[in-house]
Every structure is written in structure tokens, then in C-alpha cells.
Amino acid sequence: MKVVPGASRSEMSGWLGDMLKIRVPAPPENGKANAAVEALLAEKLGVPRSAVTIIAGKVAQRKVVEIQGLSLSEVMGKLKLGDKRA
């Protein structure tokens, strides 16, 4: 996924190729944007915040996230993103 910190609001902007683009208002300092991304994903997926972890790219815009308790197809279904990839 690609994260854009410092946005006006939290949102899932859609697809950039095979990457999900997420915007969060938190600044990219002291892990604030990462925490905002994890919280947004947990909320949208209906899982506890502790089930969502950024496992790669903590200091980069491109990140890899692990979501415990859900398969990829369940995540795609809950986010209603299906095949809307560009």
C-alpha cells in the first residue's frame, strides 16, 4: 500500500496499480502516520486495532501490512475494493 500522510482526512483513495492508496491526516513523525493507517484499516475491517500491523516500510510511503484473522479475499470483500484496480 502507499500511504500519504498529512492529508485533510483519513480515507482509502483507491488503487495505484496493485497497491492500495491510503491518506491519513497524521504527520509522518514518531510513527503517528503508521498508527493512523493501522487504526483506519482496523476500523474498516471490523477487527481489533491489535490485529493490524505494518510489517515492512515503517519509514517509507510504501508499506506492507499484516492483518490477523482475515484472509486476503475477506479483506478485499470487507473493503469493497474487489477488482477496481487500475
Side-chain angles (χ1 to χ4, degrees):
M1 87 177 45
K2 180 176 181 180
V3 174
V4 178
S8 60
R9 65 180 186 270
S10 291
E11 67 178 349
M12 294 188 195
S13 301
W15 290 100
L16 291 173
D18 64 350
M19 219 178 338
L20 178 62
K21 185 174 180 181
I22 295 181
R23 298 175 188 264
V24 293
E29 55 191 39
N30 301 322
K32 291 177 184 176
N34 290 341
V37 167
E38 292 170 343
L40 176 63
L41 284 171
E43 177 188 332
K44 297 290 184 184
L45 295 170
V47 298
R49 165 63 187 78
S50 60
V52 180
T53 307
I54 294 173
I55 60 171
K58 291 188 183 215
V59 295
Q61 281 189 322
R62 294 175 188 235
K63 303 181 184 303
V64 177
V65 177
E66 177 180 69
I67 299 162
Q68 296 177 0
L70 296 176
S71 69
L72 179 57
S73 61
E74 289 172 317
V75 169
M76 298 292 279
K78 286 181 177 255
L79 294 179
K80 295 184 174 82
L81 299 171
D83 292 323
K84 296 179 182 174
R85 293 179 228 187

